Amino acid sequence: MVEKENSNYCASCGSKLTESTNYCENCGEYISNTDSEPDSTFKHSLKNYIGKNDEFYFKKWNLNENGEPSKRVSTNWAGFFLTFMWAGYRKMYGTLFIMFGAFLVLDIIMLLIDTDSIQINNSIGIVISVMFLLNGNLLYYEKAKKQINKNKSLSPEEATAELKKNGGTSKLGVLFAIGMFILYLIVSVFIIEPVFGNTDIEFGKDSADNMIQEATEKFEPEEEIHFAYIFDEQEGGAYKIVVEDDDSTEVFDEWESEAPQDWPGAIEIMNAPSDEGAYRVKLVEEGDVTSEGTFTVVK
């Protein structure tokens, strides 16, 4: 009778145990429970796959008798703070490809609809961190289970070798994740943005921090106009600005200038023409118009 009562308490710290649990919620001690113990072969395979810190994941999952996590949501602070680096450390390369691929697709969509993707990417980055915080352990379990099922046709020795090779931790995986992030930045800035980005000249009433403020295409006569443009291939050099009427029949003003090679674009200021009407501004590089935009002058 006493033995049965003691079985409901942790042998390590004496805390009362929750029914069907495999770990003490107070000290983390593993509790053997034959009624709810997952298949020993599957559990052993999980241990081989996880490698370092397997106790942490078993405690977070709290596997039921079917070997499934009884906790679908559990915290993983390493996933929250390190995000893609944690995924690389745990060899979750498929997750990395999906994540950075989604960012690239999002960048294209934001450029096509002419919306600033930086703020949206930052917001999504926070969402991903929270996802790894609350569901990172479950994602890792699903990856481990998939690998274990994949090796069922192998001999026990071969399966163990495959699990240890594809699982565990990897410092090279962290470097791989960082490399993927750098590659994402390169592709986004030097390929996607030039191809899908808006090359039109942007107008506004003011500018600050290399951005047009109070964007508009309507100005009063002689009003100050701030306009921004991107150089071809995002590299500076000699160029000419031409301001003409919208029919390109009469040049209102033009000037030549030169920008440092590392300038992707520039912002300039001019006064609106005194006559009402529609006007066109052209950026000319090496004799070719590489960007243009229109504005109107109304009283």
Side-chain angles (χ1 to χ4, degrees):
M1 192 75 172
V2 174
E3 183 178 350
K4 182 177 181 180
E5 184 179 9
N6 287 345
S7 66
N8 294 324
Y9 293 86
C10 175
S12 177
C13 69
S15 298
K16 187 173 178 62
L17 301 174
T18 304
E19 290 185 9
S20 300
T21 186
N22 291 323
Y23 279 89
C24 174
E25 296 180 356
N26 181 58
C27 69
E29 179 73 13
Y30 179 74
I31 307 298
S32 177
N33 188 336
T34 56
D35 292 333
S36 62
E37 186 85 9
D39 180 75
S40 58
T41 302
F42 179 72
K43 179 186 171 187
H44 183 69
S45 297
L46 277 176
K47 282 180 172 287
N48 286 330
Y49 182 83
I50 298 169
K52 186 178 180 181
N53 291 335
D54 61 310
E55 295 89 354
F56 168 83
Y57 290 99
F58 275 108
K59 179 180 178 182
K60 292 295 183 179
W61 294 330
N62 192 20
L63 301 179
N64 58 27
E65 62 272 16
N66 297 318
E68 297 288 335
S70 58
K71 295 180 179 179
R72 308 297 292 181
V73 176
S74 58
T75 55
N76 187 320
W77 289 104
F80 177 76
F81 288 109
L82 301 177
T83 55
F84 64 89
M85 288 186 287
W86 171 77
Y89 183 65
R90 280 292 168 182
K91 301 183 181 179
M92 299 171 70
Y93 303 127
T95 301
L96 290 175
F97 279 112
I98 293 174
M99 184 171 66
F100 289 122
F103 272 112
L104 289 174
V105 172
L106 180 65
D107 287 344
I108 293 174
I109 294 174
M110 293 299 101
L111 288 171
L112 290 176
I113 64 177
D114 197 19
T115 301
D116 183 15
S117 63
I118 295 179
Q119 184 175 357
I120 295 177
N121 279 347
N122 289 339
S123 300
I124 293 179
I126 295 175
V127 172
I128 290 176
S129 293
V130 174
M131 181 194 73
F132 277 137
L133 169 66
L134 301 178
N135 297 108
N137 296 324
L138 184 61
L139 288 173
Y140 188 53
Y141 170 84
E142 294 295 343
K143 182 178 184 298
K145 182 180 177 181
K146 182 178 180 180
Q147 186 64 47
I148 291 171
N149 290 333
K150 183 180 178 181
N151 296 335
K152 281 186 175 180
S153 60
L154 302 177
S155 67
E157 294 78 11
E158 292 174 329
T160 298
E162 282 296 307
L163 289 173
K164 290 183 177 181
K165 182 180 75 173
N166 294 296
T169 60
S170 173
K171 293 180 180 178
L172 289 177
V174 177
L175 296 178
F176 176 78
I178 295 173
M180 284 196 65
F181 178 70
I182 295 173
L183 179 62
Y184 155 72
L185 293 178
I186 293 174
V187 172
S188 179
V189 173
F190 296 103
I191 298 178
I192 290 180
E193 189 166 337
V195 173
F196 297 96
N198 184 3
T199 59
D200 293 342
I201 292 177
E202 185 180 6
F203 301 92
K205 295 182 178 293
D206 198 4
S207 59
D209 299 325
N210 295 321
M211 298 285 290
I212 290 294
Q213 308 291 324
E214 299 180 58
T216 182
E217 295 177 353
K218 294 184 179 180
F219 301 91
E220 297 181 357
E222 304 294 338
E223 184 179 5
E224 192 174 79
I225 299 176
H226 295 244
F227 63 100
Y229 46 83
I230 301 296
F231 294 120
D232 187 35
E233 298 183 359
Q234 299 193 28
E235 293 182 357
Y239 66 94
K240 181 169 69 172
I241 297 294
V242 179
V243 184
E244 55 191 19
D245 60 25
D246 196 29
D247 296 330
S248 301
T249 57
E250 183 179 350
V251 176
F252 167 73
D253 195 4
E254 64 179 1
W255 63 90
E256 295 182 355
S257 187
E258 187 170 354
Q261 285 292 321
D262 59 349
W263 282 24
I267 294 179
E268 296 198 36
I269 303 172
M270 68 177 182
N271 288 343
S274 56
D275 296 331
E276 290 185 284
Y279 295 85
R280 183 178 299 274
V281 178
K282 296 180 178 179
L283 170 65
V284 181
E285 299 177 80
E286 298 182 350
D288 296 324
V289 177
T290 58
S291 184
E292 59 182 293
T294 60
F295 68 90
T296 57
V297 177
V298 293
K299 292 183 180 179

